[in-house]
Each structure stands twice: as C-alpha cells, then as structure tokens.
Amino acid sequence: MGYDTLLFTGDDDWHMIVIALKEDRIIITRDTQIMKRRVVTSGRLKAIFITSDEPEQQIQQVIENLKLDCQLRPFTICLECNQPLLERSKQEVADRVPPYVLQTQSEYVECPACHRIYWKGTHWQAMTRKLQRFKEELTTL
Ligand SMILES: [Zn+2]
C-alpha cells in the first residue's frame, strides 16, 4: 500500500516501544500486555490492538483504524526496506530477472537499498485485486 512499516521480531517490548517513539511509528499488535503499558494508555504512543486471527480481517482493521487509503500509492516502496522504488527499463534489468519474466513484463522498479527488482507479475495482480476489494468493502460500510 506504500506505507512505511517495520516488522519487529525481537522479544524485548521496550526496545520496540523505544523505536516506535523515536521513529514516530504506530504499534500494531496482538499483545494485550503492550496495550496496558502506561506509554500507550497515556496516549503518548499510539497502538492498535488487532482482534482477528484472519490476515484479511487484520489488514481491514488497520485500514479502518488509521483511515488508510489502500490505493493512494500502492507498490511504491520496497517491502523490505521502505525505500521509494525507482523505475527501471527492460534493458537495465535484463540480466537480473528470470527469462520468462523479461519476455512478458515491460515495467520494472528497483529498490535503491537492497536492489530487489519488482515487476507487475501475478503477485502484483493478486494484491491489486485485494486492495480494490478492501476499498470497495470500506466504501460500502
Ligand atoms: Zn529494498
């Protein structure tokens, strides 16, 4: 969706809270203990408690809670690094993508940090449909 996100995989909640405060992030969690912390209850740090086990319902809750626009700038930043992606020509990526991709795709983008190449393949199409559906569901609420 083009929003800057960070997956915290450590086990020290306080470390995550420090990062969130420093980088002005919102914590999205299923951990009730985090919601009870003073830094959250006081409103100093915004946190969203995810209620569902289903990934689709989880993203729906985040979209609704933060009033996100699913289609504002989809596929504009790297999934791994949050870096804005740069357009690349077919020639520039020719030796870095599988031959069948090169034959069928004409638009490519590259992450300037990890140099991962993205193209509008089946994953992109599936995600686009999903985002469209999220948007439709939200506008019918
Ligand atoms: Zn990257």
Coordinates of all heavy atoms in Angstrom, one line a residue, residues 78 80-81 111 113-114, ligand 1:
C78 N 9.8 -0.3 -1.2 CA 10.3 -1.7 -1.1 C 9.7 -2.4 0.2 O 9.6 -1.8 1.2 CB 11.8 -1.7 -0.9 SG 12.5 -3.3 -0.7
E80 N 10.8 -4.7 1.9 CA 11.8 -5.0 2.9 C 12.4 -3.7 3.5 O 12.7 -3.7 4.7 CB 13.0 -5.8 2.3 CG 12.6 -7.1 1.7 CD 12.1 -8.1 2.8 OE1 12.6 -8.0 4.0 OE2 11.2 -8.9 2.5
C81 N 12.7 -2.7 2.7 CA 13.5 -1.5 3.2 C 12.7 -0.2 3.4 O 13.3 0.7 3.8 CB 14.6 -1.3 2.3 SG 15.5 -2.7 1.7
C111 N 14.6 -1.4 -5.9 CA 14.9 -0.7 -4.6 C 16.3 -0.2 -4.6 O 17.3 -1.0 -4.8 CB 14.7 -1.7 -3.5 SG 15.2 -1.1 -1.9
A113 N 18.1 0.4 -2.1 CA 18.8 -0.1 -1.0 C 19.2 -1.5 -1.1 O 20.4 -1.9 -1.0 CB 18.0 0.1 0.3
C114 N 18.2 -2.4 -1.4 CA 18.6 -3.8 -1.4 C 18.7 -4.3 -2.9 O 19.0 -5.5 -3.1 CB 17.5 -4.7 -0.7 SG 15.9 -4.7 -1.5
Ligands
ZN1 ZN 14.8 -2.9 -0.6

